[in-house]
Amino acid sequence: MANFCARSYIFTLLFSLFLLILPIMSHPQKSCSVLDSGPVTSTIPLISFLEEIQETALNTFGPNNFDPKLYIDFSMKSNLSITQQAFSKLPRTTNGGVASAAKLQKFIQDYFNGAGDDLIYEHPVDFVVEPHGFLPKVKNHEVRAWALQVHGLWKNLSRKVSPSVKEHPELHTLLPLPESCVIPGSRFREVYYWDSYWVIRGLLASHMHKTATAIVTNLIYFVEKYGYVLNGARAYYTNRSQPPLLSSMIHEIYQRTGDINLIKKALPALIKEHGFWNSGVHKVTIRDSEGCSHNLSRYYAMWNKPRPESATMDKETASKLSDAADKQKLYREVASTAESGWDFSTRWMRNSSDLTTLTTTTILPVDLNAYILKMEFDIAYFAKIAGDNSIAAQFLEASKAREKAFNSVFWNEKMSQWLDCWITCKDDQTWEVSHQNQHLFASNFVPLWIKPFESASLAEKVMKSLANSGLVRATGIATSLTNSGQQWDFPNGWAPMQHIIIESLAKSGSKEAYLMAEDIAIRWIRTNHASYKNTGEMHEKYDVEKCGEYGGGGEYIPQTGFGWTNGVVLALLEEFGWPQDRKLDC
């Protein structure tokens, strides 16, 4: 074991030196013993002013139907100083509101464009009403008609950033993009990182390869400009990323198109993104019980203030804390949880009923490290296609090191699941695992989606664990078993987790696992259809206890549209089809 650890250490050292050439090294790793020593990314002056507008609107209009993101998405008609001067002249109340709600409303109309007005509807260049060869396994006429309606939603969600954003960036929180994009929908008016993976899966099922490639081009642009893919295409998202699935998007597009030029264009950006997740504040060196060191990754936002898009809510949450340093730490934890995509869940909380106990930055997440492991395999594969065998070899070695860490750090043999790990600071640069989080979350099964764990025997073991976990419910897989009121907890089910687990089981090579995958897919498709039939909308999340009911909880009302939900339904119908005689209703 000692010799293996020595070899592992030497490789880790060499690979770390390779990563040092990357620009993202400007954020050095901080001592793990400091309470909150991480970086803070600066933002544009407009955001601070819009936060002031946001808080004033809450105090003036009241909390009913108040969405803080609405105000932070405004763009200005005049320059900042003129708008600030006009704002300062509004008559005030003692609570910080404006004396007349009508006057505040008129000020907003006079000086701001509406949220989303700096995006233009864009008809996708490759959209046709019924693509040739669309969902060949769907034989049921009712399902096909509905699937074509879902396919038609790509038109509704397609956007292009207005030229005015590039011409006058100081007037907008929206960021310019080189290509058209697909948004999630409703309050989410801009492109988002991990949503885009499932949007692309749906677009590929819709044979919309050009639209899918345009999305990836935008995300590559972010890496080239910022060093990583932003959470979303807004100036207030530049302080964090989201689950890193860019390489997976490119892999899926390449499998359909064979576009080698895309691979060559993407490869430098993917190497840079890998460096972002494996250096500085995101890198965690863990020493296991055998004395081996492993380099793994965590979520860690470069921000320690209220999130601008939710500033009034974050301040209210932090008001339970009296110490300024504790509030700063909480704000970083909140933003880091947003980076995880699971905002919010008891998965990140020490106390399931208290959001101030978020400690996301001291958790090693199973899913994040699985996505990065997949990224390492993808980069090695792409490098080989591009003819760079040296890079291919380096990333294959990196994947082997992370795979060993999965077996040593995350795997729980007794539960037959991979578990998140709470970590504690051992010395200035090294952490140790305090304990595995043995609560049940859908994320515990994500590694099965990754190549090293694609085996029939392992899939059957994990499948039995999933079947006995209580997560598989009447209409899909619950995110957790804790009903906390947070939106990434019970009874909510989310399209990404359904798809990852279903696809993992289906491609495992086990017939039994495939049948379980198909069963869960049928349940999920039925609840999506029933809800669409009742409401005329595709929803962001669903209640997995009640067929046809959309989900709730969290800090905003349930949203419709909806990018990744549409994508998963189309991808599942492409894989499993729908026989003519299969019942569709709940």
Side-chain angles (χ1 to χ4, degrees):
M1 178 61 70
N3 289 337
F4 165 75
C5 289
R7 291 196 303 273
S8 177
Y9 173 77
I10 291 168
F11 164 73
T12 300
L13 180 62
L14 290 172
F15 193 71
S16 296
L17 288 172
F18 163 72
L19 291 176
L20 282 171
I21 67 173
L22 300 174
I24 198 62
M25 292 298 109
S26 59
H27 294 305
Q29 185 169 0
K30 301 291 184 177
S31 168
C32 65
S33 60
V34 178
L35 178 66
D36 182 22
S37 60
V40 176
T41 301
S42 61
T43 189
I44 60 175
L46 174 60
I47 290 177
S48 297
F49 177 54
L50 290 176
E51 284 186 78
E52 193 177 350
I53 300 290
Q54 178 194 94
E55 189 160 0
T56 303
L58 175 61
N59 293 331
T60 304
F61 301 135
N64 290 340
N65 300 317
F66 179 80
D67 185 354
K69 188 177 185 297
L70 172 72
Y71 301 93
I72 217 78
D73 288 353
F74 287 160
S75 58
M76 293 188 300
K77 295 178 180 179
S78 304
N79 68 46
L80 183 57
S81 62
I82 291 172
T83 310
Q84 284 176 320
Q85 286 174 18
F87 181 64
S88 69
K89 294 176 183 177
L90 293 173
R92 301 307 176 108
T93 60
T94 54
N95 74 341
V98 172
S100 166
K103 286 188 176 181
L104 178 58
Q105 192 62 51
K106 186 176 188 307
F107 165 78
I108 290 172
Q109 289 171 353
D110 289 347
Y111 287 89
F112 294 98
N113 298 303
D117 285 357
D118 42 11
L119 286 147
I120 302 167
Y121 282 91
E122 175 88 347
H123 190 282
V125 294
D126 48 359
F127 178 85
V128 295
V129 174
E130 184 166 3
H132 178 71
F134 180 66
L135 303 183
K137 296 181 185 177
V138 175
K139 306 301 182 183
N140 183 291
H141 298 302
E142 186 180 3
V143 175
R144 174 166 289 276
W146 171 55
L148 284 169
Q149 288 178 306
V150 175
H151 160 74
L153 295 175
W154 298 133
K155 287 189 303 179
N156 300 353
L157 299 172
S158 183
R159 299 286 190 278
K160 193 169 184 67
V161 175
S162 169
S164 63
V165 176
K166 189 172 183 180
E167 292 164 7
H168 298 286
E170 75 281 2
L171 303 180
H172 304 263
T173 61
L174 188 69
L175 297 174
L177 295 171
E179 301 288 343
S180 59
C181 62
V182 176
I183 63 171
S186 296
R187 76 196 291 267
F188 301 110
R189 306 170 184 92
E190 51 285 312
V191 75
Y192 281 80
Y193 184 4
W194 78 316
D195 294 63
S196 294
Y197 173 77
W198 288 279
V199 167
I200 284 172
R201 291 298 299 264
L203 289 170
L204 294 176
S206 291
H207 299 193
M208 295 173 64
H209 302 155
K210 289 181 180 178
T211 301
T213 302
I215 293 172
V216 161
T217 301
N218 290 330
L219 302 185
I220 291 171
Y221 161 77
F222 279 148
V223 179
E224 290 171 346
K225 183 173 178 61
Y226 298 98
Y228 49 94
V229 184
L230 308 185
N231 183 149
R234 292 276 178 184
Y236 52 77
Y237 286 143
T238 57
N239 54 56
R240 63 181 189 257
S241 187
Q242 260 193 338
L245 291 168
L246 178 57
S247 74
S248 297
M249 301 178 208
I250 294 163
H251 189 274
E252 293 297 333
I253 293 171
Y254 179 74
Q255 293 301 305
R256 305 279 184 133
T257 66
D259 187 349
I260 295 177
N261 288 331
L262 176 62
I263 297 297
K264 291 179 178 178
K265 178 182 179 181
L267 192 56
L270 292 174
I271 293 171
K272 185 182 285 189
E273 186 188 32
H274 183 271
F276 169 76
W277 287 105
N278 291 278
S279 65
V281 293
H282 287 98
K283 176 184 172 183
V284 176
T285 301
I286 287 288
R287 191 163 295 143
D288 66 19
S289 58
E290 301 293 335
C292 289
S293 291
H294 306 279
N295 288 333
L296 293 165
S297 304
R298 62 173 169 172
Y299 293 112
Y300 196 105
M302 294 169 286
W303 193 246
N304 61 1
K305 304 169 189 177
R307 295 166 298 155
E309 76 280 12
S310 302
T312 52
M313 294 178 176
D314 288 355
K315 288 175 185 176
E316 183 180 0
T317 300
S319 67
K320 300 174 185 176
L321 305 174
S322 57
D323 186 76
D326 289 340
K327 288 185 179 185
Q328 240 184 16
K329 184 178 184 303
L330 173 62
Y331 291 142
R332 191 180 295 279
E333 296 297 342
V334 167
S336 300
T337 310
E339 185 170 63
S340 80
W342 282 50
D343 46 337
F344 294 98
S345 168
T346 52
R347 181 183 174 197
W348 314 113
M349 297 155 64
R350 294 283 185 180
N351 179 341
S352 62
S353 61
D354 186 355
L355 200 60
T356 67
T357 65
L358 285 170
T359 51
T360 308
T361 62
T362 52
I363 293 172
L364 280 181
V366 165
D367 48 359
L368 171 61
N369 284 279
Y371 300 142
I372 296 172
L373 177 57
K374 187 174 187 305
M375 185 196 302
E376 288 162 351
F377 278 109
D378 288 340
I379 291 174
Y381 175 62
F382 298 154
K384 195 169 182 181
I385 291 171
D388 195 328
N389 292 328
S390 175
I391 292 291
Q394 287 169 339
F395 278 87
L396 276 178
E397 284 299 314
S399 70
K400 289 176 184 176
R402 196 174 301 266
E403 183 182 347
K404 289 182 175 71
F406 261 87
N407 297 328
S408 173
V409 177
F410 294 116
W411 177 248
N412 185 295
E413 181 65 30
K414 184 178 180 181
M415 293 178 66
S416 294
Q417 298 173 26
W418 296 269
L419 305 179
D420 293 338
C421 297
W422 300 93
I423 55 176
T424 55
C425 186
K426 184 175 177 62
D427 55 48
D428 273 356
Q429 298 296 337
T430 307
W431 299 75
E432 63 183 3
V433 173
S434 171
H435 63 280
Q436 291 181 322
N437 185 350
Q438 297 194 10
H439 290 286
L440 291 155
F441 300 100
S443 51
N444 296 3
F445 302 91
V446 167
L448 199 62
W449 194 51
I450 313 301
K451 185 178 178 181
F453 309 114
E454 290 177 10
S455 77
S457 58
L458 181 59
E460 287 176 4
K461 181 188 288 189
V462 175
M463 177 198 72
K464 289 173 184 174
S465 177
L466 175 64
N468 294 327
S469 69
L471 290 170
V472 181
R473 313 300 284 201
T475 62
I477 300 167
T479 313
S480 80
L481 294 181
T482 305
N483 193 341
S484 67
Q486 301 298 337
Q487 64 171 352
W488 283 84
D489 278 323
F490 188 86
N492 288 331
W494 292 76
M497 292 299 102
Q498 315 299 315
H499 187 250
I500 283 177
I501 295 173
I502 289 167
E503 190 167 70
S504 301
L505 296 170
K507 69 182 181 181
S508 67
S510 162
K511 184 177 180 181
E512 191 178 356
Y514 185 90
L515 292 173
M516 184 179 185
E518 186 175 37
D519 177 64
I520 298 169
I522 290 168
R523 298 181 194 202
W524 185 253
I525 290 167
R526 280 178 176 153
T527 198
N528 277 243
H529 175 263
S531 181
Y532 186 86
K533 194 174 177 181
N534 292 336
T535 67
E537 302 277 7
M538 296 293 284
H539 293 268
E540 180 189 25
K541 54 187 178 287
Y542 293 90
D543 183 331
V544 294
E545 291 280 84
K546 302 171 185 175
C547 189
E549 293 289 325
Y550 54 82
E555 61 182 13
Y556 55 83
I557 63 172
Q559 302 295 293
T560 60
F562 196 85
W564 64 17
T565 307
N566 309 343
V568 168
V569 161
L570 294 176
L572 292 178
L573 287 172
E574 184 178 49
E575 169 62 31
F576 297 101
W578 201 275
Q580 178 61 42
D581 58 354
R582 178 182 289 157
K583 179 184 173 185
L584 178 57
D585 293 334
C586 297

